Amino acid sequence: MRTIVSGGCGFIGSHLVDRLLDDGHSVTVIDDLSTGRLENLISQKGNPGLHIVEADCNDYDLIRPLLEGVDWVFHLAALADIVPSVQMPEKYFKANVDGMFSVLRASREANAGKFLYAASSSCYGIPDFYPTREDAEIRPMYPYALTKNIGEQVAMHWAKVYKLPVISLRLFNIYGPRSRTSGAYGAVFGVFLAQKLAGKPFTVVGDGTQTRDFTYVTDVADAFITAAKSDIKAEIFNVGSGNTYSINLLTELLGGSVIHLPKRPGEPDCTHADTARIEKMLNWHAGVPFEQGVKKMLENIGYWRKAPVWTPESISDATADWFKYLE
Ligand code: UDP
């Protein structure tokens, strides 16, 4: 297949690119390298199936010709992280909504065989039910969550109006190698691994009993490809591990001392995907057990040497706007 991966130099995108190339597909990556890194695809250097184009998804005239004759478009290019999205909502809207619209429009013009959208489980906010089904109420708590959800709504609308074959995957707490995307305070694995390497305590929010549906990144690449291959369209699926794990379990598996931080507004005590829909309709389920995924992260801990080491003080500064706006 001829495929496009926007955001292919990012964390999840680069794993998807690896898998597509391994499966014998050709891949054109569109990435503006704002948070993605060429280093993430270093192992594919010289691969004739890979073509990397440094471009902003908003540059319609540049990206449109790249999509000519494309079979599958995977749209993963986006800005992540909560705090910067609260501080710079316009930047997030431009990247995550306008950029997505540009790729969607190019996909329709190019008659793409499938448009796969990387949506976020953050659309559920603090849900009423666990595990959470796709038809749960949409409650974005911060601008990042809102922009990713608007992107999904636009894509699903285009599926309906223009019959564009769209599938949206709502991703739950994805972790794995290369998850350090920028210097911003972000996902817990990067924070803890850098702390462990520096011999500093893990900064556990609250009492650490909160749980997350930690899903290994290669399982997500598999979900995208399964969705692309299927005849199904105009559907939304949760992508999760099928389980939920506490932060205390994570610190136990990683091994090290712990220090506690105040709980934060808008953070759910649990994320847990109901995966019945994707299991039934796409026959997909996650394959990497949590303990095995954590082990792989520990084996590659050297990667985090260049990552910032967060302390309770620097986290307090970095999250000041979180408390200010989301309280
Ligand atoms: N977390 C933590 N210490 C940190 C960063 C995060 O205990 O320094 C916790 C956080 O409270 C949450 C979980 O780890 O319960 C996952 O956080 P992350 O930001 O990775 O994902 P999200 O909260 O957006 O699901």
Side-chain angles (χ1 to χ4, degrees):
M1 293 290 176
R2 275 206 37 151
T3 73
I4 294 274
V5 180
S6 75
C9 294
F11 161 45
I12 303 172
S14 65
H15 285 277
L16 177 59
V17 171
D18 281 343
R19 174 65 199 278
L20 287 166
L21 291 169
D22 284 352
D23 288 0
H25 305 297
S26 75
V27 182
T28 298
V29 165
I30 302 173
D31 201 303
D32 69 357
L33 302 180
S34 59
T35 55
R37 284 195 296 241
L38 289 172
E39 202 185 310
N40 286 342
L41 290 175
I42 200 85
S43 66
Q44 301 293 354
K45 210 174 169 170
N47 189 326
L50 175 63
H51 179 207
I52 301 177
V53 180
E54 186 179 340
D56 182 336
C57 290
N58 279 293
D59 193 343
Y60 183 80
D61 294 338
L62 198 158
I63 66 161
R64 169 64 187 88
L66 302 175
L67 274 79
E68 207 49 52
V70 73
D71 296 297
W72 300 337
V73 177
F74 300 90
H75 182 64
L76 283 80
L79 290 174
D81 295 321
I82 298 174
V83 181
S85 86
V86 175
Q87 294 164 332
M88 299 170 282
E90 61 292 338
K91 197 172 153 190
Y92 275 70
F93 201 92
K94 188 152 198 304
N96 296 359
V97 180
D98 295 344
M100 178 274 172
F101 189 84
S102 172
V103 178
L104 189 72
R105 185 181 151 212
S107 301
R108 180 180 171 227
E109 290 290 323
N111 242 324
K114 203 81 158 226
F115 183 90
L116 295 305
Y117 178 68
S120 167
S121 63
S122 60
C123 65
Y124 299 123
I126 300 178
D128 293 331
F129 303 104
Y130 298 109
T132 308
R133 285 172 24 158
E134 289 86 349
D135 57 4
E137 201 177 304
I138 298 301
R139 296 175 182 161
M141 305 297 280
Y142 33 83
Y144 164 75
L146 176 66
T147 58
K148 289 303 287 184
N149 184 252
I150 294 174
E152 182 186 82
Q153 289 191 42
V154 175
M156 298 320 292
H157 199 248
W158 278 43
K160 208 162 139 191
V161 176
Y162 304 114
K163 310 291 177 273
L164 187 69
V166 174
I167 292 186
S168 178
L169 301 182
R170 291 182 180 163
L171 311 181
F172 279 68
N173 292 88
I174 313 308
Y175 74 103
R178 310 175 197 152
S179 55
R180 181 166 59 93
T181 51
S182 70
Y185 178 66
V188 66
F189 262 92
V191 174
F192 284 1
L193 287 169
Q195 288 167 341
K196 181 172 170 79
L197 206 53
K200 300 282 186 220
F202 300 128
T203 50
V204 170
V205 170
D207 62 6
T209 56
Q210 72 271 32
T211 64
R212 288 293 180 271
D213 190 335
F214 288 115
T215 310
Y216 199 68
V217 66
T218 52
D219 279 336
V220 179
D222 186 57
F224 270 109
I225 292 172
T226 305
K229 282 182 182 162
S230 79
D231 295 331
I232 286 166
K233 50 196 176 204
E235 286 290 342
I236 297 171
F237 297 107
N238 285 339
V239 174
S241 70
N243 214 327
T244 186
Y245 308 90
S246 74
I247 298 305
N248 289 334
L249 173 64
L250 175 59
T251 57
E252 259 169 53
L253 291 173
L254 292 175
S257 62
V258 159
I259 190 165
H260 292 272
L261 306 178
K263 275 189 82 166
R264 303 189 278 232
E267 271 202 339
D269 287 335
C270 172
T271 68
H272 189 183
D274 185 321
T275 51
R277 193 175 176 84
I278 193 165
E279 279 174 31
K280 185 161 167 250
M281 294 181 74
L282 294 182
N283 193 24
W284 177 89
H285 54 85
V288 180
F290 186 53
E291 286 75 7
Q292 195 180 312
V294 174
K295 203 163 148 241
K296 283 195 196 168
M297 298 298 278
L298 282 171
E299 283 163 10
N300 294 304
I301 195 165
Y303 173 82
W304 304 92
R305 212 170 299 278
K306 284 186 245 154
V309 181
W310 294 94
T311 62
E313 294 72 34
S314 63
I315 292 173
S316 168
D317 289 347
T319 55
D321 280 331
W322 187 337
F323 285 90
K324 179 174 166 193
Y325 290 106
L326 302 182
E327 201 92 66

